[in-house]
């Protein structure tokens, strides 16, 4: 009785959820409307079963459980139609139609297994359910034909460099991409798709982005009054228009001129993210996720929107990005207010505690705002003064100082100035004893400075690694991410691998690896993979009995995690038959064979090498 009530209540909850979904307006409208309408028509059945005191038979209960599973699949399908890219749905209409057909079949099958005449329901509800069942049966027996005109228009618009306006107009209407707001929403949906596809959606993303740009240009050309919506019109009248956050590069915080998408779906100014990658980073600066590849996909739609915004607001699109260049001292191209910065520095130098705190806070914000400010603040001589404030007895002043240095360190030249000012030991001290936010920002600052190889040595020698491990264990979620990123970067230097291992990093990493809720599995595996390449790291990892969890990750993890797990297994098993035997006992061979077919290139190589090692060991055992 309890189980049947639980199933019925869940079915009612799902119907209530889909009733709250917005109306579908894209090419999937008919599929969406038919499925959601039929599901809602079944709610009277669930309502009467909920109120009934009669015990359901085993067959009817099984049918309701099957229906619950089908309803949950249908709910997710309906939700994805509302949230996913309209363009992608149009281009993948046949596949999407099959998904609707499959879930329709599942619901129809569950309805067919219910014994309507035995259920404690009214005659009226029985008639309605039989009618809905008949609708599902008819829908199961046929699939809606594709929209031929839509496909012709899509192919034409993709193939032609300058498609006919009538074609683009029809596509805009059919895809419901008729305003700048619609187009921005579509652009964001494409980015979400990148993330959902593990960062590698193939060539289709670039094709869709290019097509979206053509649609955007067509919308603007035909309806220029829709260039900006009412909420943005204030920008036009404002003497100094505020740059929308979506138009700023997360690295430089400046207006982007050549936006590109990385594998996590985030958009950056090309020159800034390229510089980041050239420095050896393999993470997304904004999310700290490991990049699955280094390909940069042009964000045509956003580039076009930025250009149009600049034109509307009388803003000249920048030729260079401030944080991604090295300006000479005294450059006349800087837009910062040097007088105001000098006044703040005087307060740092001669002010009382309150004035120093306020001035450090102002510099923190100015340094965050743009690249020109970062250059000006450094040229004015602020860095040594901020370094002195790292030892301030006032926690808030200390927090402002370390965060200001973090923001200033975005500029490559400033990194050297910060280290030359003797900041590293003081930053490490803040990392050990500062407030929560100060510790997190100290970790982020050390990561930023460690981009330069010689700084990795100095930071490790200053005792940063034990403090970072403490933050990794006891910090906030953000603090743990900052600590993990810094530890990973520092461990690229061989001497820091030993420091990390001897400071006891392996145990907390294994704990994070087995705790999916921590959200730190990616980081833990990445660090383990780099530590396992050192003999002392290999020994410490082996003592933590990692084989079962590593084999499980190889079997079920994300592409990048499977790659790193295979790399750790390889390091452990080479030259150690006991690890190899343990891995074999946990079924690693089957997981590795699958990885050689479906893993990343590096994962395939590691898996292949491990399989060869397994085969050689087996052959040696047989021959002996």
């Amino acid at each position: 009785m309890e189980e049947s009530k639980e199933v019925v209540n869940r079915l009612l909850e799902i119907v209530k959820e889909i009733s709250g979904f917005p109306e579908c307006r894209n090419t999937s409208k008919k599929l969406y409307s038919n499925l959601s309408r039929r599901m809602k028509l079944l709610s009277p059945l669930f309502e009467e079963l909920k109120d009934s005191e009669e015990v359901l038979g085993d067959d009817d209960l099984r049918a309701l459980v099957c229906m619950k599973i089908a309803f949950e699949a249908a709910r997710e399908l309906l939700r994805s139609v509302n949230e996913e890219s309209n363009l992608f749905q149009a281009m993948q209409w046949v596949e999407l139609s099959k998904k609707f057909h499959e879930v329709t079949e599942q619901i129809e099958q569950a309805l067919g297994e219910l014994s309507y005449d035995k259920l404690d329901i009214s005659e009226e509800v029985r008639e309605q359910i039989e009618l809905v069942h008949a609708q599902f049966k008819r829908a199961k027996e046929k699939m809606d034909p594709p929209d031929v005109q839509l496909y012709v228009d899509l192919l034409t618009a993709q193939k032609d460099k300058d498609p006919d306006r009538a074609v683009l107009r029809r596509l805009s209407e059919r895809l419901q991409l008729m305003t700048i707001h619609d187009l921005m929403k579509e652009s964001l949906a494409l980015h979400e798709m990148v993330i959902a596809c593990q960062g590698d959606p193939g060539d289709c993303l670039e094709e869709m982005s290019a097509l979206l740009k053509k649609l955007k240009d067509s919308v603007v050309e035909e309806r220029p009054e829709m260039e900006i919506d009412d909420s943005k019109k204030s920008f036009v009248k404002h003497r100094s228009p505020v740059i929308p956050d979506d138009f700023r590069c997360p690295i430089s915080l400046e207006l982007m001129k050549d936006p590109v998408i990385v594998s996590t779906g985030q958009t950056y100014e090309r020159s800034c993210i390229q510089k980041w990658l050239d420095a050896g980073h393999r993470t997304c600066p904004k999310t700290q996720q490991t990049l699955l590849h280094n390909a940069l996909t042009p964000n045509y739609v956003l580039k076009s929107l930025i250009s149009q915004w600049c034109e509307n607001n009388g803003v000249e699109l920048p030729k260079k990005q401030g944080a991604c260049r090295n300006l000479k001292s005294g450059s006349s191209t800087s837009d910062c207010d040097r007088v105001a910065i000098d006044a703040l520095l005087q307060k740092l130098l001669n002010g009382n505690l309150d004035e120093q705190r306020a001035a450090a806070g102002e510099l923190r914000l100015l340094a965050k705002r743009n690249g020109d400010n970062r250059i000006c603040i450094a040229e004015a001589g602020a860095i040594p003064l901020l370094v002195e404030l790292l030892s301030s007895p006032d926690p808030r002043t200390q927090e402002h100082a370390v965060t200001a240095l973090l923001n200033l360190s975005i500029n490559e030249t400033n990194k050297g100035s910060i280290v030359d000012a003797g900041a590293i030991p003081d930053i490490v001290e803040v990392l050990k004893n500062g407030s929560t936010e100060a510790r997190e920002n100290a970790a982020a600052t050390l990561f930023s400075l460690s981009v330069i190889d010689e700084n990795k040595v100095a930071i490790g020698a200053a005792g940063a690694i034990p403090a970072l491990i403490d933050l990794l264990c006891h910090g906030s979620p953000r603090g743990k991410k900052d600590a993990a990123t810094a530890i990973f970067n520092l461990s690229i230097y061989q001497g820091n691998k030993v420091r990390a291992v001897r400071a006891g990093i392996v145990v907390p990493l294994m704990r994070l690896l087995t705790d999916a809720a921590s959200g730190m599995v990616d980081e833990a595996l990445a660090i383990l993979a780099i530590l396992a390449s050192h003999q002392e790291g290999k020994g410490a990892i082996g003592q933590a009995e990692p084989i079962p969890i590593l084999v499980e990750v190889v079997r079920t993890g994300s592409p990048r995690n499977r790659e790193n797990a295979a790399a750790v297994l390889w390091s452990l098993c080479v030259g150690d038959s006991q690890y190899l035997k343990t891995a074999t006992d946990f079924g690693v061979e089957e997981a590795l064979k699958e990885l050689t077919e479906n893993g990343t290139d590096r994962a395939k190589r590691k898996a292949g090498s491990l399989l060869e090692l397994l085969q050689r060991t087996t052959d040696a055992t047989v021959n002996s």
Side-chain angles (χ1 to χ4, degrees), residues 434-505:
S435 66
T436 299
E437 185 174 349
R439 294 180 71 205
E440 291 170 353
N441 289 339
T445 307
L446 292 174
F447 163 67
S448 178
L449 296 176
S450 68
V451 168
I452 299 170
D453 285 340
E454 54 264 35
N455 290 347
K456 292 180 173 68
V457 182
I459 293 168
I465 289 176
L468 288 168
I469 293 173
D470 183 70
L471 185 61
L472 180 70
C473 294
H474 305 114
S476 67
R478 182 198 148 198
K480 289 180 179 180
K481 293 275 185 184
D482 289 334
T485 309
I487 291 167
F488 176 85
N489 215 39
L490 290 170
S491 297
I492 293 170
Y493 169 59
Q494 199 79 342
N496 286 336
K497 293 177 185 177
V498 177
R499 289 189 175 102
V501 171
R502 292 178 181 175
I505 193 173

Side-chain angles (χ1 to χ4, degrees), residues 237-497:
K237 299 176 182 178
H238 200 285
R239 190 170 297 172
S240 299
V242 178
I243 301 171
D245 288 341
D246 289 339
F247 293 176
R248 294 178 183 270
C249 172
I251 297 175
S252 69
L253 300 178
E254 294 183 351
L255 189 65
M256 289 184 278
K257 67 179 179 65
D258 187 11
V260 292
I261 307 167
V262 299
S263 68
T264 58
Q266 300 294 330
T267 295
Y268 298 94
E269 170 62 29
R270 182 186 291 276
S271 60
C272 293
I273 191 64
Q274 190 61 59
K275 196 165 190 177
W276 173 267
L277 296 172
D278 291 345
H281 299 298
R282 293 297 175 263
T283 56
C284 172
K286 189 171 182 180
T287 67
Q288 300 303 315
Q289 291 176 279
T290 302
L291 295 172
L292 300 177
H293 54 73
N294 288 346
L296 303 177
T297 306
N299 192 334
Y300 295 118
V301 176
L302 187 58
K303 184 175 182 178
S304 181
L305 290 170
I306 290 171
S307 297
Q308 201 65 52
W309 180 87
C310 288
E311 186 179 326
N312 287 338
N313 290 278
V315 175
E316 184 178 352
L317 192 63
K319 293 180 181 178
K320 289 186 177 181
Q321 296 293 303
C324 306
R325 64 184 184 216
N326 289 324
L327 293 179
K328 304 275 186 187
S329 178
S331 167
S332 60
T333 58
S334 174
D335 293 328
C336 70
D337 188 341
R338 183 60 180 264
V339 175
I341 289 173
D342 285 341
L344 291 172
L345 263 58
Q346 282 301 315
K347 290 181 180 178
L348 289 188
L349 193 60
N350 302 314
N352 59 35
L353 191 59
D354 289 340
E355 288 174 329
Q356 286 183 330
R357 184 193 306 116
E362 285 291 322
L363 288 169
R364 167 185 180 173
L365 294 174
L366 285 171
K368 181 179 180 180
R369 194 162 296 159
N370 60 56
D372 285 334
N373 284 352
R374 288 190 274 278
I375 294 166
C376 278
I377 291 168
E379 289 177 349
I383 287 175
L385 299 177
L386 289 167
V387 171
E388 283 186 26
L389 289 183
L390 292 175
S391 305
S392 170
D394 178 58
R396 189 65 174 158
T397 302
Q398 189 183 74
E399 185 182 302
H400 285 326
V402 76
T403 310
L405 289 170
L406 169 61
N407 295 335
L408 288 170
S409 73
I410 294 170
N411 179 281
E412 292 300 310
T413 303
N414 289 348
K415 284 179 170 58
S417 300
I418 292 168
V419 174
D420 291 343
I424 289 176
D426 291 322
I427 295 172
V428 171
E429 193 60 33
V430 173
L431 177 65
K432 292 177 179 177
N433 301 310
S435 66
T436 299
E437 185 174 349
R439 294 180 71 205
E440 291 170 353
N441 289 339
T445 307
L446 292 174
F447 163 67
S448 178
L449 296 176
S450 68
V451 168
I452 299 170
D453 285 340
E454 54 264 35
N455 290 347
K456 292 180 173 68
V457 182
I459 293 168
I465 289 176
L468 288 168
I469 293 173
D470 183 70
L471 185 61
L472 180 70
C473 294
H474 305 114
S476 67
R478 182 198 148 198
K480 289 180 179 180
K481 293 275 185 184
D482 289 334
T485 309
I487 291 167
F488 176 85
N489 215 39
L490 290 170
S491 297
I492 293 170
Y493 169 59
Q494 199 79 342
N496 286 336
K497 293 177 185 177

Side-chain angles (χ1 to χ4, degrees), residues 178-184 216 219-220 226-228 305:
M178 301 170 68
T179 69
I180 291 298
H181 175 74
D182 293 336
L183 291 160
M184 277 295 288
K216 182 264 170 191
V219 167
V220 170
M226 300 195 73
E227 195 66 34
I228 47 175
L305 290 170

Side-chain angles (χ1 to χ4, degrees), residues 14-21 32 36 39-40 75 78:
I14 295 171
V15 171
K16 185 178 179 180
E17 277 187 70
I18 65 170
S19 297
F21 287 176
Y32 180 100
S36 60
M39 289 173 69
K40 292 173 196 174
R75 178 199 56 197
L78 293 171

Side-chain angles (χ1 to χ4, degrees), residues 29 209 347 445 528 571:
K29 180 177 180 179
S209 293
K347 290 181 180 178
T445 307
L528 284 170
S571 296

